[in-house]
Amino acid sequence: MPTRFVCLAAVLSLFLFQAGGHAAKLPSHETVKVAEGMYAFISAESNNAIVSGNSVAVIGDDGVLVVDSGNFPSETRKIIAEIRLLTSLPVRYLVHTHWHRDHTDGDSEYRAAFPDVVIISTPYTRKMITDRAMKNLEEEIKMGPEYASYLRKQAQDGKDGSGKVLSAEEKSYNNDFAESLDAAVAEFKQVKLLLPDETFDQNLDVHLGKREVQLKFLGRGNTGGDAVIYVPDAKVVMAGDLLVYPTPYVFDSYFADWIQTLGKLKAIGATTIVPGHGPVQHNNDYVDLVSSLLQTFNSQVQQAVRQNLSLDETRKKVDVASLEKQFAGDNPNRRRNFEAYFLGMAFERAYKEAKGTLDTP
């Protein structure tokens, strides 16, 4: 793959995700009532390479709080229309779990629909929207069409960038990816990223009349500024990308902290968990599975560092087969996802963290 496309793929990997099947250009959503006055808009598992994060509406006595705004303005507008059917109350607050654009690209749609909405995040998330997200948006709009053309050419030629012959499934995947990427870039051209109006360091309680919503920073994990949102009267927690189904994202992650943060998430005592991607969870089984993955992987990398192994030697030493089987099963696209977006990122992050050389914005 040409160098410029390697760079683009790294940028896209913050917002693009591979999963099973082939079909729609962009993922739609399913609306799930998770408690009285609480609705989760669950983005469909992507059928090629494009995702949007889950969103949640919390309806109180005098207003609505929304968690995350999604990746595609057209889909955000549909969610806003649904919220208006659910209640005549205005959206007063929009809270970001983290800075990745598949959770923030719909902000301007909420501001247009509800001019007085207050956008809230951790300070880290606000900083990263300024430092990284705005630049990434420009890069994707500029380079996305080139990458789509590159994928189509691979499918047409029947070979990947290394010359490996593509199977019929891989050629179909490339064409679907390119088509979805075209649709995504058209959406990205509508995006106007907004900076949060308010930030909180550790805890912030928001009151929607009698309904209390607790905003918490439990520690670093998926990013350096993950927020979780807890509604005590319903025992529902929104975890953001501290939990992603079917495979954790590790683009900007802190492995040791993440394990501890998941422990704090469990300690909240929620009976319902809405992850950043994937279906609503009604127990801690998936929290435990992700925690086990992070612990098993990180401990092996730390051992390799203690043995003074290089990064390449560490990649060969760490046993990942059983881990991949747990998350990907026999699904070829889930395996592709696990290898690209967990293993492809995790080795370098965990290795640098173990050596104390990880850059922290």
Side-chain angles (χ1 to χ4, degrees):
M1 183 185 294
T3 301
R4 67 181 183 278
F5 292 134
V6 172
C7 295
L8 176 63
V11 172
L12 289 172
S13 67
L14 287 171
F15 315 105
L16 307 183
F17 174 91
Q18 299 167 338
H22 302 291
K25 293 180 181 178
L26 297 176
S28 58
H29 72 270
E30 175 189 9
T31 302
V32 178
K33 183 176 181 179
V34 294
E36 192 62 37
M38 289 192 64
Y39 298 86
F41 307 101
I42 304 299
S43 187
E45 184 177 347
S46 178
N47 50 22
N48 46 59
I50 306 290
V51 294
S52 184
N54 292 336
S55 181
V56 177
V58 182
I59 302 172
D61 301 316
D62 60 2
V64 181
L65 179 147
V66 170
V67 178
D68 288 340
S69 64
N71 201 10
F72 310 116
S74 64
E75 195 67 18
T76 301
R77 290 192 290 271
K78 293 177 184 177
I79 290 173
I80 290 172
E82 286 192 50
I83 293 173
R84 282 179 158 153
L85 291 175
L86 294 168
T87 178
S88 60
L89 295 171
V91 174
R92 293 175 54 202
Y93 302 99
L94 173 60
V95 181
H96 289 318
T97 57
H98 62 297
W99 71 272
H100 292 162
R101 281 192 23 249
D102 55 327
H103 297 259
T104 65
D105 273 3
D107 285 9
S108 63
E109 299 299 328
Y110 278 96
R111 180 57 51 79
F114 306 99
D116 296 327
V117 66
V118 177
I119 304 174
I120 305 174
S121 76
T122 61
Y124 180 92
T125 291
R126 191 182 196 279
K127 181 180 186 298
M128 294 301 284
I129 291 173
T130 301
D131 293 352
R132 298 257 311 262
M134 292 181 175
K135 180 180 178 182
N136 288 344
L137 176 61
E138 295 175 358
E139 290 175 340
E140 288 188 27
I141 291 172
K142 179 181 178 181
M143 299 179 67
E146 292 182 54
Y147 193 50
S149 296
Y150 176 74
L151 290 168
R152 288 191 175 97
K153 188 174 188 308
Q154 282 189 347
Q156 182 178 357
D157 294 344
K159 297 180 181 179
D160 68 11
S162 67
K164 172 183 168 291
V165 175
L166 298 178
S167 67
E169 186 274 334
E170 289 170 328
K171 287 188 283 188
S172 177
Y173 173 83
N174 274 21
N175 281 323
D176 283 352
F177 190 166
E179 187 176 357
S180 296
L181 185 53
D182 287 342
V185 169
E187 293 283 334
F188 296 158
K189 290 179 180 179
Q190 304 173 46
V191 171
K192 181 181 179 182
L193 289 172
L194 303 179
L195 290 176
D197 303 298
E198 296 183 9
T199 62
F200 70 97
D201 291 313
Q202 298 295 327
N203 298 282
L204 177 65
D205 293 341
V206 175
H207 295 275
L208 303 171
K210 296 178 183 178
R211 174 163 255 180
E212 180 183 61
V213 183
Q214 299 175 356
L215 316 185
K216 300 174 179 291
F217 173 66
L218 301 178
R220 299 188 303 184
N222 176 251
T223 74
D226 300 293
V228 302
I229 296 86
Y230 180 56
V231 182
D233 67 61
K235 291 191 175 182
V236 176
V237 69
M238 283 66 79
D241 282 4
L242 289 170
L243 283 182
V244 171
Y245 180 92
T247 299
Y249 294 152
V250 294
F251 310 113
D252 303 293
S253 303
Y254 300 86
F255 278 77
D257 288 357
W258 197 348
I259 296 164
Q260 295 179 17
T261 301
L262 287 177
K264 294 176 183 177
L265 179 69
K266 283 182 63 176
I268 288 176
T271 56
T272 301
I273 305 170
V274 183
H277 299 260
V280 176
Q281 308 288 316
H282 297 287
N283 54 49
N284 287 315
D285 290 354
Y286 192 67
V287 179
D288 292 339
L289 185 63
V290 172
S291 183
S292 177
L293 167 68
L294 298 174
Q295 289 175 332
T296 302
F297 182 85
N298 199 42
S299 63
Q300 290 186 71
V301 172
Q302 289 176 333
Q303 182 180 15
V305 168
R306 287 194 294 269
Q307 295 172 351
N308 294 316
L309 299 185
S310 68
L311 177 57
D312 285 341
E313 289 169 333
T314 299
R315 291 181 194 274
K316 296 174 184 176
K317 183 177 179 62
V318 173
D319 178 17
V320 298
S322 62
L323 303 176
E324 181 172 340
K325 186 71 173 178
Q326 283 183 299
F327 285 85
D330 296 321
N331 185 308
N333 282 339
R334 285 187 177 180
R335 288 201 305 269
R336 185 157 41 216
N337 166 50
F338 189 87
E339 291 165 4
Y341 297 138
F342 181 77
L343 296 179
M345 308 282 180
F347 274 108
E348 186 170 359
R349 294 290 299 184
Y351 186 83
K352 287 183 176 181
E353 185 175 320
K355 290 182 71 69
T357 61
L358 188 65
D359 292 333
T360 55

